[in-house]
Amino acid sequence: MQPARSNRERSETTRHALLTAARALFVDKGYAETSTPEIAASAGTTRGALYHHFEDKRALFRALLEQEAEAVAAEIEAAAVPGLPARDALMEGSLAYLDAMTIAGRTRLLLIEGPAVLGGAEIGALDEAHAGRTLRDGLAAAMGGPAREALPLPALAVLLSAAFDRAALAIDAGAPPADFKTAMTGLIACILGPDDLSGAPSA
């Protein structure tokens, strides 16, 4: 059994090295300008090993984006600690998203290269499974009273997701993060209404 476990560990190590090398190259050069031989060489392995783990460069890129999206969702969920009121959890999660997107290269990968390579439908599904899901769930928990009655949740989540992405892009381009954090939490507060309505059932 020990050899099998060692093989599995070596396989995981190689896969991790490929993803790490690919991330650095995609961020530095972009997807189109990065070749699989470059990725394999940077990872210290062979093209054969790369194609053993990933069908092609696009599949490798897709796995990398999945990894990045999972990391963002994990940071959002970590910010919404158990016992926090739903409204506060949504606010904290919103700030956590903007912080998570400041990791070097993440905005380029998820918001620029991702849509260009995978297309809107696939990148939308990826977002929906991770950060988009946390936003939708947070809104559902925090919305109450008139907001719940007046605003269709799926459409609202899509619009707010777009606003978060634009904020991340602006911050990545050098805009003051504090301004966008204040604006985003203010926008959410306006949508939710007064604190005493948060989470209250509609009459």
Side-chain angles (χ1 to χ4, degrees):
M1 296 302 293
Q2 185 63 35
R5 183 164 60 251
S6 297
N7 289 340
R8 183 168 62 252
E9 289 171 354
R10 284 196 295 270
S11 179
E12 290 173 354
T13 297
T14 300
R15 188 177 191 276
H16 176 74
L18 286 165
L19 286 167
T20 300
R23 189 188 195 283
L25 288 165
F26 289 147
V27 170
D28 183 50
K29 302 178 62 176
Y31 176 86
E33 298 302 317
T34 299
S35 68
T36 53
E38 283 180 289
I39 296 170
S42 181
T45 188
T46 64
R47 289 184 70 192
L50 187 155
Y51 289 119
H52 172 75
H53 288 277
F54 304 101
E55 180 181 358
D56 52 23
K57 184 173 77 167
R58 187 181 188 279
L60 170 57
F61 183 70
R62 177 65 171 74
L64 176 60
L65 292 197
E66 182 82 30
Q67 180 175 280
E68 294 291 321
E70 287 175 354
V72 173
E75 292 195 36
I76 294 170
E77 290 170 338
V81 296
L84 199 64
R87 183 189 185 97
D88 294 339
L90 179 58
M91 295 294 189
E92 291 299 322
S94 299
L95 298 177
Y97 170 81
L98 294 177
D99 285 338
M101 291 301 288
T102 63
I103 297 298
R106 185 169 283 167
T107 295
R108 176 173 184 173
L109 290 171
L110 288 174
L111 303 184
I112 299 174
E113 295 283 344
V117 175
L118 300 182
E122 191 168 352
I123 202 70
L126 183 69
D127 178 69
E128 177 63 19
H130 297 96
R133 168 186 53 79
T134 65
L135 176 58
R136 186 184 63 250
D137 292 348
L139 283 169
M143 285 173 65
R148 183 182 294 278
E149 296 175 359
L151 299 173
L153 179 60
L156 178 61
V158 169
L159 292 174
L160 277 177
S161 180
F164 276 112
D165 289 350
R166 287 299 299 268
L169 287 165
I171 292 169
D172 189 62
D179 288 354
F180 281 90
K181 289 182 178 181
T182 299
M184 288 303 304
T185 54
L187 175 60
I188 293 171
C190 288
I191 291 169
L192 296 180
D195 286 7
D196 60 357
L197 292 178
S198 179
S202 57

